[in-house]
């Protein structure tokens, strides 16, 4: 059978299996095993366990559970509420400052937790009721938090970037640095829209603000600064050549747990057990997807699907930006239905040869891919962040939440366009800090 036709059949079968309701990892294993049995026979079953466990034999994977523990220990405390309150006190004189402080808190909390749903939950529990109480429209209150929560997969340390680095054998350090400026760009675009939408209403209640004393501003900082110091310390250790990403993640996880115990009185063994239990569940889920995706990639390669698609794309006489447009549309649609980790692990083996052949930087592509995944987090039918916000504020309809998040989707599209015109937004910092990639 023609490998490209076979690739189309594999894609259709994979979509049907995943839509059947089985887990992503199990679905990938079912598809991979089925096609290997059909085309390679029973002998292919001998290789599956070796590939499955061999994919997990990577020291870099240790960073994933460590960063997840780091995020879970923060999410289990009042750190999100304190971040929100601290920024509110310092930004309260800015028109629309409450939305700005929520977005700033989302950016900082996502940098500490690396999780979009956790960011939505932690900041949304405080921010949404407060904004609604002060007269902000429900759509603005819910949409800003839903969009701000997506920053968790872009701003380092990001589990999504780690997964991309492992799947494509790309430097995780460079990927982290590549996400910094685009992450700040998105925060700036989100804030600019929030300021404009607040000013446009002309509502004096929104434009006015409560005045906090300097004492009130400074007294909350000791509860926030230790977490920020950990982020800076982790990044300094990583880029200063002191430790590897896995080692810095382990130290960061330990320090976050200690701060949660010392500052937020997380003494109860039951509470600590919940943090470790939930972190283990999430880590195992991601590891299982990584292992299953390794088998899926092997199946695609052994049936010459990956090579044939890359070769076919290379023979197309189309502008490389037309090609990239189709790639981004594919990623956007995939992100509507699947979690970012699954999309990256499934798509990377196919897309990486294509984008490198077309002359695109894989580091730049990682950032563009991640922003596409961010759009998927606040877009139906899955739109995980939309449901998290709806769970926090069930009296706000999903339609209202979606409508409020659409302007922020437009901001993400603008960011992607800017990255296409100015790729240095993503590649400049890694090149300056770590030297140009060879």
């Amino acid at each position: 059978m023609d490998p490209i036709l076979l690739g189309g059949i594999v894609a259709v079968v994979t979509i049907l299996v995943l839509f059947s309701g089985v887990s992503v990892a199990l679905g990938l294993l079912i598809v991979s095993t089925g096609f290997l049995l059909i085309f390679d026979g029973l002998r292919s079953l001998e290789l599956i366990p070796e590939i499955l466990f061999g994919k997990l034999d990577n020291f870099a994977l240790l960073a994933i559970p460590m960063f997840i523990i780091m995020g879970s220990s923060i999410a289990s405390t009042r750190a999100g509420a304190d971040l929100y309150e601290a920024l509110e006190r310092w930004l309260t004189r800015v028109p629309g400052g409450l939305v700005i402080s929520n977005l700033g808190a989302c950016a900082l909390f996502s940098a500490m937790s690396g999780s979009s749903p956790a960011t939505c939950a932690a900041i949304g529990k405080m921010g949404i009721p407060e904004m609604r109480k002060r007269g902000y429209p429900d759509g603005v209150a819910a949409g800003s938090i839903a969009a701000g929560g997506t920053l968790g997969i872009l701003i380092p340390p990001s589990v999504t970037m780690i997964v991309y680095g492992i799947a494509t054998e790309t430097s995780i350090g460079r990927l982290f640095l590549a996400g910094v400026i685009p992450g700040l760009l998105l925060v700036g675009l989100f804030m600019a829209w929030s300021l404009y939408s607040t000013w446009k209403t002309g509502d004096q209640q929104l434009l006015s603000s409560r005045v906090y004393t300097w004492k009130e501003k400074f007294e909350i900082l000791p509860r926030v600064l230790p977490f920020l110091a950990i982020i800076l310390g982790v990044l300094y250790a990583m880029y200063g050549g002191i430790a590897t990403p896995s080692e810095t993640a382990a130290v960061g996880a330990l320090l976050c747990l200690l701060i949660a115990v010392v500052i937020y009185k997380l003494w109860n063994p039951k509470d600590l057990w919940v943090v470790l239990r939930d972190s283990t569940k999430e880590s195992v889920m991601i590891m299982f997807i990584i292992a299953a995706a390794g088998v899926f990639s092997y199946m695609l390669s052994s049936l010459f699907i990956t090579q044939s698609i890359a070769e076919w794309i290379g023979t197309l006489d189309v502008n490389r930006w037309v090609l990239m447009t189709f790639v981004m549309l594919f990623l956007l649609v995939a992100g509507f239905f699947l979690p970012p980790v699954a999309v990256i692990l499934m798509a990377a083996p196919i897309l990486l040869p294509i984008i490198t052949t077309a002359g695109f930087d894989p580091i730049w592509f990682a950032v563009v891919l991640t922003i596409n995944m961010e759009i998927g987090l606040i877009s139906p039918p899955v739109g995980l962040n939309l449901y998290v916000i709806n769970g926090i504020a069930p009296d706000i309809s999903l339609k209202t939440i979606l409508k409020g998040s659409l302007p922020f989707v437009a901001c993400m599209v603008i960011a992607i366009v800017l990255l296409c015109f100015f790729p240095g937004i993503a590649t400049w910092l890694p090149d300056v800090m770590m030297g140009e990639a060879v």
Side-chain angles (χ1 to χ4, degrees):
M1 184 181 292
D2 179 65
I4 295 179
L5 176 60
L6 180 58
I9 296 173
V10 170
V12 172
V13 172
T14 303
I15 291 170
L16 291 175
V17 170
L18 293 178
F19 277 15
S20 69
V22 301
S23 67
V24 173
L26 186 58
L28 292 177
L29 277 179
I30 291 171
V31 173
S32 304
T33 304
F35 278 96
L36 286 172
L37 278 173
I38 293 170
F39 291 95
D40 281 352
L42 288 172
R43 66 183 183 87
S44 61
L45 294 180
E46 298 176 3
L47 294 172
I48 290 178
E50 183 179 344
I51 298 168
L52 195 69
F53 290 101
K55 196 67 179 177
L56 298 176
D57 186 18
N58 187 338
F59 183 72
L61 286 173
L62 183 61
I64 292 176
M66 292 298 101
F67 278 127
I68 290 174
I69 290 174
M70 183 175 168
S72 295
S73 60
I74 292 168
S76 63
T77 66
R78 276 186 47 84
D82 285 344
L83 269 175
Y84 163 78
E85 193 174 340
L87 286 171
E88 182 197 359
R89 293 184 184 187
W90 282 90
L91 298 174
T92 187
R93 300 305 295 270
V94 178
L98 194 56
V99 181
I100 300 296
S101 62
N102 275 286
L103 289 168
C106 284
L108 291 174
F109 191 86
S110 64
M112 293 189 290
S113 69
S115 168
S116 292
T119 301
C120 281
I123 307 301
K125 286 176 183 176
M126 289 286 295
I128 292 175
E130 188 66 25
M131 280 192 283
R132 297 177 75 189
K133 185 172 71 177
R134 297 198 192 179
Y136 285 86
D138 289 350
V140 173
S144 60
I145 299 294
T150 65
L151 297 167
I153 64 173
L154 179 61
I155 297 177
S158 164
V159 171
T160 306
M161 288 294 194
I162 296 173
V163 171
Y164 178 91
I166 293 169
T168 61
E169 298 183 356
T170 306
S171 166
I172 294 173
R174 297 187 77 89
L175 291 170
F176 278 4
L177 284 172
V180 173
I181 297 178
L184 295 176
L185 172 65
L186 272 181
V187 174
L189 289 172
F190 289 173
M191 289 183 173
W193 166 254
S194 300
L195 284 172
Y196 171 73
S197 61
T198 303
W199 169 80
K200 191 174 63 172
T201 63
D203 190 334
Q204 291 303 313
Q205 184 180 355
L206 302 184
L207 297 175
S208 61
S209 59
R210 175 187 166 186
V211 178
Y212 288 95
T213 65
W214 285 105
K215 179 183 177 182
E216 289 174 318
K217 290 181 178 181
F218 280 103
E219 67 184 2
I220 197 171
L221 292 183
R223 284 183 284 173
V224 175
L225 292 179
F227 287 112
L228 302 182
I230 288 176
I231 296 175
L232 294 176
V234 165
L235 296 177
Y236 174 77
M238 193 183 305
Y239 300 117
I242 299 172
T244 66
S246 299
E247 293 164 346
T248 54
V251 174
L254 177 61
L255 291 177
C256 282
L257 277 173
L258 289 175
I259 287 177
V261 170
V262 174
I263 296 181
Y264 292 98
K265 315 298 181 186
L266 199 70
W267 321 103
N268 194 326
K270 290 183 179 179
D271 295 332
L272 289 173
W273 169 251
V274 169
V275 171
L276 297 176
R277 181 198 65 195
D278 292 347
S279 300
T280 302
K281 284 182 178 179
E282 188 173 348
S283 301
V284 169
M285 176 192 70
I286 293 175
M287 297 292 191
F288 193 16
I289 293 175
I290 290 172
V295 178
F296 188 75
S297 299
Y298 169 78
M299 180 270 293
L300 294 175
S301 180
S302 67
L303 300 182
F304 296 99
I305 294 173
T306 306
Q307 301 92 316
S308 298
I309 292 176
E311 184 179 343
W312 175 68
I313 293 292
T315 61
L316 291 177
D317 187 20
V318 296
N319 184 279
R320 68 180 192 139
W321 288 107
V322 174
L323 175 62
M324 180 55 67
T325 300
F326 282 109
V327 168
M328 286 194 282
L329 286 174
F330 162 74
L331 291 172
L332 191 60
V333 173
F336 289 164
F337 300 97
L338 296 170
V341 169
V343 174
I344 289 169
L345 291 169
M346 289 172 58
I350 299 173
L351 296 180
L352 192 65
I354 295 172
I355 64 111
T356 51
T357 301
F360 291 103
D361 189 317
I363 299 291
W364 170 87
F365 180 66
V367 176
V368 172
L369 185 156
T370 303
I371 297 176
N372 271 283
M373 296 300 99
E374 288 186 278
I375 294 174
L377 287 170
I378 54 174
S379 302
V382 179
L384 179 59
N385 284 14
L386 302 179
Y387 293 99
V388 173
I389 296 297
N390 189 238
I392 296 169
D395 55 325
I396 303 179
S397 68
L398 279 171
K399 181 181 178 182
T400 302
I401 299 170
L402 175 60
K403 187 177 178 181
S405 65
L406 286 179
F408 297 98
V409 170
C411 291
M412 294 179 189
V413 173
I414 291 171
I416 291 175
V417 172
L418 288 174
L419 280 163
C420 290
F421 279 105
F422 308 103
I425 295 173
T427 58
W428 175 78
L429 189 59
D431 287 347
V432 168
M433 296 286 291
M434 303 180 70
E436 293 190 13
V438 179

